[in-house]
PDB file of all heavy atoms in Angstrom:
ATOM      1  N   LEU A 941      48.560 -20.889  72.260  1.00 82.00           N
ATOM      2  CA  LEU A 941      48.177 -21.852  73.293  1.00 82.00           C
ATOM      3  C   LEU A 941      49.314 -22.258  74.231  1.00 82.00           C
ATOM      4  O   LEU A 941      49.069 -22.430  75.431  1.00 82.00           O
ATOM      5  CB  LEU A 941      47.554 -23.084  72.636  1.00 82.00           C
ATOM      6  CG  LEU A 941      46.248 -22.819  71.867  1.00 82.00           C
ATOM      7  CD1 LEU A 941      45.662 -24.123  71.355  1.00 82.00           C
ATOM      8  CD2 LEU A 941      45.246 -22.082  72.730  1.00 82.00           C
ATOM      9  N   LEU A 998      39.801  -9.810  68.017  1.00 94.00           N
ATOM     10  CA  LEU A 998      40.386  -8.825  68.932  1.00 94.00           C
ATOM     11  C   LEU A 998      39.778  -8.956  70.331  1.00 94.00           C
ATOM     12  O   LEU A 998      40.476  -8.844  71.344  1.00 94.00           O
ATOM     13  CB  LEU A 998      40.141  -7.430  68.377  1.00 94.00           C
ATOM     14  CG  LEU A 998      40.983  -6.279  68.925  1.00 94.00           C
ATOM     15  CD1 LEU A 998      42.449  -6.466  68.585  1.00 94.00           C
ATOM     16  CD2 LEU A 998      40.482  -4.957  68.370  1.00 94.00           C
ATOM     17  N   CYS A1022      34.636 -16.717  54.821  1.00 86.00           N
ATOM     18  CA  CYS A1022      34.504 -15.883  53.621  1.00 86.00           C
ATOM     19  C   CYS A1022      35.843 -15.323  53.145  1.00 86.00           C
ATOM     20  O   CYS A1022      36.241 -15.570  52.003  1.00 86.00           O
ATOM     21  CB  CYS A1022      33.497 -14.766  53.877  1.00 86.00           C
ATOM     22  SG  CYS A1022      33.193 -13.709  52.444  1.00 86.00           S
ATOM     23  N   ASN A1074      54.276  -0.956  86.780  1.00 73.00           N
ATOM     24  CA  ASN A1074      53.869  -2.122  87.581  1.00 73.00           C
ATOM     25  C   ASN A1074      52.619  -2.811  87.030  1.00 73.00           C
ATOM     26  O   ASN A1074      51.959  -3.576  87.735  1.00 73.00           O
ATOM     27  CB  ASN A1074      53.624  -1.722  89.040  1.00 73.00           C
ATOM     28  CG  ASN A1074      54.900  -1.261  89.724  1.00 73.00           C
ATOM     29  OD1 ASN A1074      55.983  -1.780  89.456  1.00 73.00           O
ATOM     30  ND2 ASN A1074      54.773  -0.267  90.601  1.00 73.00           N
ATOM     31  N   ILE A1092      41.342  -6.530  60.370  1.00 96.00           N
ATOM     32  CA  ILE A1092      40.686  -5.222  60.407  1.00 96.00           C
ATOM     33  C   ILE A1092      41.315  -4.276  59.387  1.00 96.00           C
ATOM     34  O   ILE A1092      40.610  -3.562  58.661  1.00 96.00           O
ATOM     35  CB  ILE A1092      40.768  -4.635  61.826  1.00 96.00           C
ATOM     36  CG1 ILE A1092      40.045  -5.557  62.819  1.00 96.00           C
ATOM     37  CG2 ILE A1092      40.170  -3.232  61.873  1.00 96.00           C
ATOM     38  CD1 ILE A1092      40.167  -5.127  64.263  1.00 96.00           C
ATOM     39  N   LYS A1111      24.146  -8.928  37.799  1.00 85.00           N
ATOM     40  CA  LYS A1111      22.998  -8.195  38.312  1.00 85.00           C
ATOM     41  C   LYS A1111      22.455  -7.188  37.297  1.00 85.00           C
ATOM     42  O   LYS A1111      21.650  -6.319  37.654  1.00 85.00           O
ATOM     43  CB  LYS A1111      23.391  -7.457  39.599  1.00 85.00           C
ATOM     44  CG  LYS A1111      23.730  -8.376  40.761  1.00 85.00           C
ATOM     45  CD  LYS A1111      22.527  -9.220  41.159  1.00 85.00           C
ATOM     46  CE  LYS A1111      22.829 -10.104  42.343  1.00 85.00           C
ATOM     47  NZ  LYS A1111      21.652 -10.914  42.736  1.00 85.00           N
ATOM     48  N   LEU A1206      64.549 -30.526  80.527  1.00 62.00           N
ATOM     49  CA  LEU A1206      65.779 -31.315  80.565  1.00 62.00           C
ATOM     50  C   LEU A1206      66.788 -30.797  79.546  1.00 62.00           C
ATOM     51  O   LEU A1206      67.249 -31.529  78.661  1.00 62.00           O
ATOM     52  CB  LEU A1206      65.465 -32.795  80.290  1.00 62.00           C
ATOM     53  CG  LEU A1206      64.431 -33.434  81.232  1.00 62.00           C
ATOM     54  CD1 LEU A1206      64.115 -34.846  80.760  1.00 62.00           C
ATOM     55  CD2 LEU A1206      64.942 -33.443  82.663  1.00 62.00           C
ATOM     56  N   THR A1226      49.776 -33.782  84.091  1.00 45.00           N
ATOM     57  CA  THR A1226      49.256 -32.439  84.324  1.00 45.00           C
ATOM     58  C   THR A1226      50.081 -31.429  83.536  1.00 45.00           C
ATOM     59  O   THR A1226      51.294 -31.528  83.451  1.00 45.00           O
ATOM     60  CB  THR A1226      49.326 -32.091  85.821  1.00 45.00           C
ATOM     61  OG1 THR A1226      48.609 -33.083  86.550  1.00 45.00           O
ATOM     62  CG2 THR A1226      48.720 -30.719  86.074  1.00 45.00           C
ATOM     63  N   THR A1264      54.399 -36.329  40.274  1.00 91.00           N
ATOM     64  CA  THR A1264      55.751 -36.356  40.829  1.00 91.00           C
ATOM     65  C   THR A1264      55.835 -35.502  42.087  1.00 91.00           C
ATOM     66  O   THR A1264      56.426 -35.905  43.102  1.00 91.00           O
ATOM     67  CB  THR A1264      56.769 -35.850  39.789  1.00 91.00           C
ATOM     68  OG1 THR A1264      56.709 -36.692  38.630  1.00 91.00           O
ATOM     69  CG2 THR A1264      58.171 -35.863  40.348  1.00 91.00           C
ATOM     70  N   CYS A1349      52.513 -40.661  72.569  1.00 86.00           N
ATOM     71  CA  CYS A1349      53.225 -39.763  71.666  1.00 86.00           C
ATOM     72  C   CYS A1349      53.825 -40.497  70.468  1.00 86.00           C
ATOM     73  O   CYS A1349      53.620 -40.121  69.321  1.00 86.00           O
ATOM     74  CB  CYS A1349      54.312 -39.027  72.446  1.00 86.00           C
ATOM     75  SG  CYS A1349      55.377 -37.969  71.437  1.00 86.00           S
ATOM     76  N   SER A1380      33.874 -41.623  28.533  1.00 39.00           N
ATOM     77  CA  SER A1380      32.744 -41.886  29.410  1.00 39.00           C
ATOM     78  C   SER A1380      32.523 -40.738  30.382  1.00 39.00           C
ATOM     79  O   SER A1380      31.388 -40.407  30.734  1.00 39.00           O
ATOM     80  CB  SER A1380      32.978 -43.186  30.196  1.00 39.00           C
ATOM     81  OG  SER A1380      34.123 -43.079  31.019  1.00 39.00           O
TER      82      SER A1380
END
Side-chain angles (χ1 to χ4, degrees):
L941 297 185
L998 197 64
C1022 182
N1074 295 325
I1092 299 175
K1111 294 298 182 179
L1206 304 174
T1226 303
T1264 300
C1349 175
S1380 62

